[in-house]
Amino acid sequence: MADCIHKKNLVLSIESSCDDSSIAITCIDDYKLYFSEKTSQENEHNKHGGVVPELASRLHIEALPKILSKTTRYFPYIKAVAVTTQPGLKVSLTQGISMAKAISLGLDVPLIEVDHLQGHIYSLFIEKKAQFPMCCLLVSGGHTKLMQVDDKGSKTIGETMDDSFGESYDKVAKMLGLSYPGGPIVERYASMGDENRYDFPVPLRQSSQIMFSYSGLKNAVRVAIEKEGKIDDITKMNICASFQKSAVLHIIMKLKKYFKQNTPTNFAVVGGASANMYLREKLKKLLKEFDCENFQAPLIEYCGDNADMIGRVALQKIKLDEVII
Ligand code: KG4
Ligand code: ZN
């Protein structure tokens, strides 16, 4: 992380759309990060088996000022404040937005509203120049979305009709008595299990449409768990592996259909669940079949929600003159 701040033009960014309180300071001139800190609420929500909105809001009120107090030395150089304004939990978003408005007024600098999904796309370009156009898959706790993206915005090709990819991992984890968030632990259990032990359905296999669905697969897992009765660790591993095989194959089959008509030159996967290595490996294999060498994914530390990606979007808006500083 860069440090000499003398005469730099900086953006302070805030992310609080769900259960992560995060603040970053990014340099407008050279994209460098000067400060980045995140307080995750996972342990608190884990006690309740998932995110409790009111608790998330209260924890943001505690965490955000603590992080902000470490950034005061940058205040003289801040030229804009960026904040996630949507989508997300209203009560959580509000905490970041109130803080951003107060700083923007206090420092007399513009307030830049950032869409969280655009943030995930720009997580690819933290401390780097952006490269477009590309075909992008966003997999998170709230979304499963295939998009065509350029520097002006994105066009949705297909999205989920019900649960998202990450959410289905969270729900499977909860059914198996594993911790929240479910993604990392289900992936770990899956890596030790037999993916052919259960024959879970691959969602929308017969449909020619580019769309996603995870509620049917989740119910199939529920039925299998109920049938097993008391389940030991080996059974949990086998269920996780078989579930993950279908969850990822669903994405691969839909992408294959889309690529047949629209072979990508550049492809990226972003969002919290893009940290999943099994998914990344299957995507790479598919892209190879289509001779697409250009596969991008964020660094693991930028897959989940963070203010760094929100600051990076703000830089783009400034560069495109959408915001005058
Ligand atoms: O992007 P993110 O931090 O928050 C939202 O914008 O939703 O994504 C969080 C989601 C959670 O559902 C979490 O279980 C999932 O991403 N996730 C994973 C993995 N790591 C996180 N899902 C599958 N495999 C993973 N390794
Ligand atoms: Zn997110």
Side-chain angles (χ1 to χ4, degrees):
M1 214 170 290
D3 205 31
C4 174
I5 53 174
H6 187 57
K7 285 188 185 160
K8 292 287 184 193
N9 297 305
L10 307 176
V11 167
L12 183 146
S13 54
I14 304 173
E15 157 65 39
S16 71
S17 64
C18 189
D19 57 347
D20 292 299
S21 316
S22 176
I23 296 180
I25 305 273
T26 318
C27 180
I28 299 169
D29 316 299
D30 59 10
Y31 307 105
K32 293 274 176 254
L33 269 176
Y34 280 74
F35 175 90
S36 166
E37 201 171 303
K38 162 163 141 174
T39 304
S40 176
Q41 307 174 353
E42 281 170 13
N43 291 342
E44 298 298 322
H45 294 292
N46 187 22
K47 295 174 195 155
H48 307 276
V51 177
V52 180
E54 287 69 26
L55 177 61
S57 178
R58 188 168 60 69
L59 293 171
H60 284 308
I61 295 174
E62 283 171 24
L64 286 172
K66 274 192 198 151
I67 306 176
L68 186 71
S69 69
K70 300 179 189 172
T71 66
T72 48
R73 73 190 188 100
Y74 299 104
F75 277 24
Y77 311 99
I78 288 169
K79 298 292 184 289
V81 180
V83 63
T84 307
T85 53
Q86 58 135 6
L89 294 173
K90 279 259 163 346
V91 287
S92 289
L93 286 165
T94 305
Q95 301 310 332
I97 295 170
S98 310
M99 175 176 268
K101 279 186 177 163
I103 302 168
S104 151
L105 276 172
L107 297 180
D108 193 21
V109 295
L111 180 74
I112 305 179
E113 297 185 5
V114 177
D115 181 284
H116 183 75
L117 306 189
Q118 204 182 0
H120 275 302
I121 294 169
Y122 276 82
S123 67
L124 294 164
F125 308 127
I126 291 168
E127 299 204 272
K128 293 196 249 193
K129 278 207 165 122
Q131 277 185 327
F132 292 113
M134 66 184 175
C135 179
C136 182
L137 174 73
L138 169 69
V139 276
S140 68
H143 296 84
T144 309
K145 216 174 175 139
L146 183 65
M147 298 168 280
Q148 284 292 351
V149 187
D150 64 22
D151 61 348
K152 305 280 185 302
S154 60
K155 179 176 162 256
T156 302
I157 309 300
E159 55 192 325
T160 186
M161 307 188 305
D162 40 60
D163 294 350
S164 73
F165 180 78
E167 188 181 6
S168 70
Y169 277 70
D170 295 335
K171 288 183 175 169
V172 166
K174 196 170 178 180
M175 289 189 269
L176 290 171
L178 301 174
S179 58
Y180 172 85
I185 189 149
V186 169
E187 183 183 7
R188 197 166 69 241
Y189 269 61
S191 70
M192 297 180 282
D194 171 6
E195 66 175 22
N196 297 314
R197 173 64 186 76
Y198 295 87
D199 191 16
F200 292 135
V202 177
L204 306 177
R205 196 171 198 149
Q206 307 304 336
S207 161
S208 61
Q209 285 178 307
I210 308 297
M211 52 170 65
F212 305 95
S213 166
Y214 282 98
S215 65
L217 173 58
K218 173 191 68 189
N219 285 333
V221 174
R222 186 195 310 280
V223 170
I225 292 172
E226 282 167 6
K227 222 168 160 186
E228 289 291 346
K230 203 167 173 284
I231 44 177
D232 57 16
D233 260 3
I234 302 288
T235 310
K236 286 184 188 181
M237 289 169 194
N238 292 337
I239 290 175
C240 287
S242 305
F243 154 74
Q244 177 163 262
K245 180 186 169 193
S246 291
V248 170
L249 188 54
H250 173 34
I251 288 182
I252 298 299
M253 289 177 79
K254 289 297 172 189
L255 288 184
K256 199 168 190 166
K257 275 205 173 96
Y258 181 66
F259 289 173
K260 278 185 182 154
Q261 310 292 331
N262 307 272
T263 308
T265 318
N266 299 308
F267 182 85
V269 63
V270 299
S274 70
N276 187 297
M277 288 302 153
Y278 180 88
L279 172 65
R280 286 190 186 199
E281 286 314 310
K282 296 288 176 189
L283 287 171
K284 278 188 207 160
K285 203 165 153 244
L286 175 71
L287 289 162
K288 230 178 176 169
E289 279 177 37
F290 287 86
D291 287 327
C292 174
E293 300 277 318
N294 204 347
F295 172 73
Q296 298 182 75
L299 294 176
I300 294 299
E301 62 263 40
Y302 297 139
C303 292
D305 295 344
N306 64 84
D308 315 31
M309 66 189 193
I310 303 305
R312 185 61 189 82
V313 174
L315 261 52
Q316 196 70 11
K317 286 178 183 269
I318 292 167
K319 288 205 187 316
L320 292 176
D321 284 337
E322 286 175 28
V323 179
I324 310 297
I325 56 164

